[in-house]
Amino acid sequence: MAEADIDDLIEIIEKESNLEKIPKSLPMMPVRDIVVFTDMLLPLFVGRKKSIRAVEECVEYDRYIFLAAQKDSELENPGLEDLYSVGTIGRIQKMIKLPDGRIKALVQGLAKAKVLECVKKKPFFKVDIEILKDADPLELNIEDEALMRNVKEASEKLLALKGELSGDVGDLLSHIESPGKLADLVASNINLKVEDAQILLEIMDGTERLKKVNDLLARELDLSTVQAKIQIDVKDEISRNQRDYYLREQVKAIHRELGESDEKLAEIKEFKAKIKKCKMPLDCEKETKKQLKRLEQMHSDSSEASVVRTYLDCIVELPWSKSTKDFLDIKKSEEVLDTNHFGLDKVKERILEYLSVRKLNPKKKGQIICFVGPPGVGKTSLGQAIAKAMKRKFHRVSLGGIRDEAEIRGHRRTYIGSMPGRILQGLRQCKTNNPVFMLDEIDKLGNDFRGDPSSALLEALDPEQNFEFSDHYLNMPFDLSKVLFILTANMSDTIPSALLDRMEVIRISGYTRQEKKVIAQRHLFPRKLKDNGLIRRSIHISSGAMESIIADYTLEAGLRGLERNLDAICRKIARKIAEGKKGKFSITKQNLTKYLGPPKYLSELDQEESQVGLATGLAWTEVGGEQLYIEVSLYQGKGELLVTGQIGEVMQESARAALTYTKANADKFDISKEDIDSNDIHIHVPAGAIPKDGPSAGIAMATALISAFTGRKVNNKVGMTGEISLRGRVLPIGGLKEKALGALRAGIDHIIIPEKNKNDLYDMPKVIKKKIKFTCVKDIREVLEIALEEKIEPKKA
């Protein structure tokens, strides 16, 4: 017999003699997530009460203990049926009791055994066992040697890929000659599932067990090879962020194995649900899903992922298919408008017409309504009333001073901090695709090198185009055809013509004093009482005081100045009440100065009586109608013309035309050529700090000029508006209603207007026509007959 065979025989005899010393009944300890193989040395942390008792009891059995794997590692208190019947007899080499009560034990696997019977279940498992012996061949054939060599080489490759190969491991593998021992050693050092490891443990034939290990090893080697290849391919390309992403993904994979949630997967799932809920057009949905797929492949903390995430948030929050149901009860809508606004009959009539058409034809495309009028006349509140009447959401955007086209169309996503335009942002806030959308101050749009916002508004507002409105940020069509756009402006002159062509302009001229009084009593005063914490019975404003506030403390077409004065009165009374004063406070015309001070607006001193060379024109500004005084003075000179008062080119042309007409018709007005040639003419329009321009002061300038040359006074109660031609024709003007309201506020009772503006009197409020006499003229001579008083010859001494 060879020397090596003798050594093997001695080892077998010694092992068998040691196994005979093992008791037939042993304490049993369940182990989780691992199967212990023979000759395996491993540390175990013992924490369960039964297991601790079993470890403590094994001292009585010469530190022998039976180790059985759990079928379900989640069970905290497994029964006998929850354990595999085949396990490993181990011997505790070293044992340490930890401060928290657990035990750390170093256990070595000695032999396989099978449970025959459970002798004891409490306070620990004690079982009768039968030792199982491996069937290893005494002599190895060529196939066995080839199999062992293949397993050894594969093991070395696997360890090399993992960076764990050392010289000691190679020596250990090379000295193992038993197929069973080699199978147990390799199986205990590769990551196997409990089920696969248990199957290996229960195979008694060493060669068969090694074959099974060889198959599992080959699969593990393939996985590790692919993993190593991926790591090598990626290593040279990934940046620090990508490396962090890889590490985080590994952490997340660990979290998934531990049953913890994955935030990114939850986010992707949430986006998918929101996209489905949006019910957007198919093309838009396809593009959105494409962006979501990009996000899924990105690192969560990368800057690009943040951009895509913000973009997707914007898409899913847009109201692609969400609409509010219109409330189209015309009578109740009329009640809502009447409750919120006094007067404005023409405006309310047009709104009710729109609602009526909408009721009969819900598919009619949305119209663009533009309210044009001075500040404070209720343009914005009218839009809110329309939304309230239709039970739609209301959103307001101020366009004043906007010069960047991107404010309307949005910024492209290539820019840092890009966002959608104002329109899509508004729809996102409303969460409905058919709100009443108010665009304030459309007349104050600007343009510069960043684009023309008015051009961008064309696509958004035009009913023929806005069903496919394209926002640069969204980069996909969005349907705006269901939106009711309402625009506001102070003047229509500065609205871009292309936009004005698509609008229906509704003019709100302003309010008469009587209308202001009713509005103040019904709406403004009760609101100010509430705002200042006052009750109605604690304060009373007499009718005369209210009229005085309107006439002497405000001079405007709208209501903001009136509202501020009422607020000032309420504040002063609130202070008195807060200081402890009691009783009812009564504001009359006599004590009004205690609250508001002296009157702020008085008639100009120059107009207290009729004068030579002073005519009253009427102007139309963005704050309403106003009187425009034209002064003419003559002084010795050479017939030159000087025009002052910061007036524009159009008014300067009117002055020159008036002078030319006067010179050409001097003989008709008894003006000598010598007077014209020997005098310089100075035309001045007071309030020089305020820019003035417009084609409606011609006849006033001509009247003042002829008055100065003839010495006839101009009636101070007569106002006039109209442009003059070189032949003396009176040309039509705009804004007659606004000018008439301004004249009424200034106390003018007679207005001269061009004949071609006669049709404008049809829409003039009755209260204005009742208090003001309108005279239509075709020629400047008709103006002079009405406006100029007879010349009074000075009395002889």
Side-chain angles (χ1 to χ4, degrees), residues 487-733:
L487 284 67
T488 70
N490 296 135
M491 298 184 71
S492 59
D493 297 353
T494 53
I495 300 175
S497 57
L499 270 177
L500 192 62
D501 181 58
R502 289 165 168 80
M503 299 175 189
E504 180 177 352
V505 176
I506 299 176
R507 298 194 180 276
I508 306 174
S509 304
Y511 301 98
T512 63
R513 291 181 179 178
Q514 188 60 35
E515 286 176 332
K516 285 185 178 182
K517 183 179 176 182
V518 175
I519 293 170
Q521 291 171 339
R522 289 187 185 178
H523 302 288
L524 301 183
F525 186 52
R527 187 195 309 162
K528 291 302 164 186
L529 288 173
K530 184 178 179 181
D531 290 347
N532 290 279
L534 301 173
I535 55 177
R536 190 65 182 260
R537 63 175 179 269
S538 65
I539 179 172
H540 172 72
I541 298 180
S542 68
S543 178
M546 190 68 76
E547 290 174 358
S548 181
I549 294 171
I550 295 168
D552 301 333
Y553 293 87
T554 64
L555 187 64
E556 57 177 355
L559 301 165
R560 288 178 183 164
L562 175 58
E563 195 170 358
R564 282 192 289 268
N565 281 300
L566 291 174
D567 198 31
I569 292 172
C570 292
R571 286 198 308 270
K572 285 178 170 51
I573 292 175
R575 179 183 173 182
K576 290 181 179 180
I577 294 173
E579 289 174 348
K581 293 182 180 180
K582 295 182 180 180
K584 187 173 183 178
F585 297 89
S586 182
I587 291 90
T588 63
K589 191 173 181 179
Q590 288 72 28
N591 66 4
L592 188 59
T593 54
K594 293 181 180 180
Y595 296 92
L596 297 179
K600 298 177 182 177
Y601 299 101
L602 299 172
S603 299
E604 293 194 21
L605 295 176
D606 290 341
Q607 282 298 82
E608 289 181 355
E609 58 182 21
S610 301
Q611 297 184 34
V612 174
L614 178 60
T616 304
L618 299 176
W620 178 28
T621 69
E622 62 182 27
V623 295
E626 294 180 358
Q627 64 270 34
L628 190 70
Y629 297 112
I630 311 292
E631 296 178 331
V632 175
S633 288
L634 306 178
Y635 56 95
Q636 190 173 359
K638 299 178 181 179
E640 295 180 355
L641 175 66
L642 174 64
V643 183
T644 58
Q646 198 176 349
I647 60 178
E649 292 183 3
V650 176
M651 286 186 69
Q652 289 184 18
E653 290 174 2
S654 297
R656 287 192 289 269
L659 179 59
T660 301
Y661 174 79
T662 303
K663 288 181 177 180
N665 296 275
D667 56 337
K668 296 179 181 179
F669 303 112
D670 295 330
I671 302 173
S672 67
K673 186 176 184 298
E674 183 181 352
D675 287 343
I676 295 176
D677 293 339
S678 61
N679 286 291
D680 284 347
I681 302 157
H682 186 174
I683 299 178
H684 178 63
V685 184
I690 302 171
K692 296 169 281 290
D693 200 9
S696 62
I699 64 172
M701 288 182 171
T703 302
L705 269 171
I706 294 171
S707 169
F709 277 112
T710 61
R712 296 171 64 182
K713 294 181 179 180
V714 183
N715 190 336
N716 67 326
K717 295 296 183 181
V718 175
M720 58 194 75
T721 178
E723 186 59 293
I724 188 174
S725 72
L726 292 177
R727 290 173 174 78
R729 291 185 299 116
V730 179
L731 305 179
I733 46 83

Side-chain angles (χ1 to χ4, degrees), residues 21-306:
K21 296 178 182 179
I22 298 174
K24 300 301 180 184
S25 293
L26 289 174
M28 181 174 71
M29 182 174 71
V31 291
R32 291 193 273 202
D33 298 321
I34 193 169
V35 173
V36 181
F37 289 90
T38 55
D39 299 326
M40 187 176 178
L41 189 66
L42 78 161
L44 290 176
F45 287 90
V46 185
R48 291 183 284 191
K49 290 182 179 180
K50 270 192 174 185
S51 300
I52 292 173
R53 291 296 302 272
V55 171
E56 291 173 345
E57 187 67 23
C58 74
V59 177
E60 302 293 330
Y61 296 85
D62 199 16
R63 298 195 308 261
Y64 289 108
I65 193 168
F66 182 68
L67 306 171
Q70 287 184 206
K71 295 177 182 178
D72 184 0
S73 60
E74 299 295 327
L75 290 176
E76 188 65 28
N77 297 305
L80 198 63
E81 66 280 1
D82 299 317
L83 306 174
Y84 289 105
S85 59
V86 176
T88 304
I89 299 170
R91 192 172 191 189
I92 296 177
Q93 304 294 334
K94 192 173 181 181
M95 182 170 62
I96 301 173
K97 199 156 188 176
L98 300 175
D100 59 0
R102 293 185 302 162
I103 294 176
K104 182 179 180 182
L106 186 65
V107 182
Q108 182 179 12
L110 298 177
K112 298 177 186 177
K114 181 180 181 181
V115 176
L116 297 178
E117 186 181 356
C118 182
V119 179
K120 188 178 181 181
K121 291 185 178 180
K122 291 184 179 181
F124 58 87
F125 289 116
K126 183 178 179 183
V127 293
D128 290 340
I129 57 170
E130 177 188 356
I131 296 175
L132 303 176
K133 295 182 180 180
D134 282 341
D136 273 347
L138 294 175
E139 292 186 6
L140 300 177
N141 55 33
I142 294 176
E143 291 182 1
D144 294 340
E145 290 181 357
L147 178 62
M148 290 182 68
R149 184 177 297 177
N150 188 60
V151 170
K152 291 176 181 178
E153 291 176 355
S155 299
E156 290 178 352
K157 285 182 182 178
L158 181 60
L159 292 172
L161 286 171
K162 293 184 176 182
E164 298 174 2
L165 182 64
S166 64
D168 295 338
V169 174
D171 291 341
L172 178 62
L173 290 171
S174 63
H175 282 85
I176 296 177
E177 299 295 337
S178 167
K181 283 188 176 182
L182 181 60
D184 291 345
L185 178 62
V186 174
S188 62
N189 286 281
I190 59 176
N191 296 322
L192 295 176
K193 293 181 180 179
V194 173
E195 295 83 357
D196 293 335
Q198 185 66 31
I199 291 171
L200 285 175
L201 185 69
E202 294 179 5
I203 298 175
M204 296 296 109
D205 190 306
T207 304
E208 291 298 322
R209 189 159 71 252
L210 189 60
K211 287 180 181 179
K212 181 70 175 175
V213 169
N214 186 51
D215 294 339
L216 294 171
L217 189 61
R219 180 175 177 275
E220 185 70 20
L221 184 61
D222 288 342
L223 288 173
S224 297
T225 303
V226 172
Q227 184 181 11
K229 184 177 181 300
I230 292 172
Q231 289 175 340
I232 292 170
D233 292 341
V234 172
K235 185 176 180 180
D236 296 333
E237 298 178 9
I238 60 174
S239 63
R240 184 173 179 274
N241 283 338
Q242 290 170 317
R243 176 179 173 276
D244 292 345
Y245 171 70
Y246 178 75
L247 294 174
R248 286 188 178 89
E249 287 301 313
Q250 285 187 329
V251 171
K252 288 177 181 179
I254 294 169
H255 288 174
R256 282 196 296 271
E257 289 296 324
L258 294 173
E260 297 177 5
S261 62
D262 186 343
E263 292 180 5
K264 184 175 180 181
L265 291 175
E267 182 186 40
I268 299 299
K269 187 177 179 181
E270 184 181 356
F271 270 128
K272 286 180 179 178
K274 286 182 178 178
I275 292 169
K276 186 177 180 181
K277 189 178 179 181
C278 281
K279 296 180 182 178
M280 62 184 75
L282 292 177
D283 292 343
C284 300
E285 186 174 347
K286 184 178 178 181
E287 176 63 23
T288 307
K289 288 181 177 178
K290 180 180 176 182
Q291 295 296 329
L292 182 60
K293 191 173 182 181
R294 285 185 61 211
L295 178 64
E296 196 172 358
Q297 295 170 352
M298 289 178 187
H299 175 232
S300 300
D301 296 331
S302 68
S303 57
E304 190 176 0
S306 178

Side-chain angles (χ1 to χ4, degrees), residues 367-387:
Q367 291 175 293
I368 311 168
I369 298 173
C370 182
F371 294 141
V372 176
V377 295
K379 300 186 294 295
T380 303
S381 59
L382 265 175
Q384 293 172 333
I386 293 171

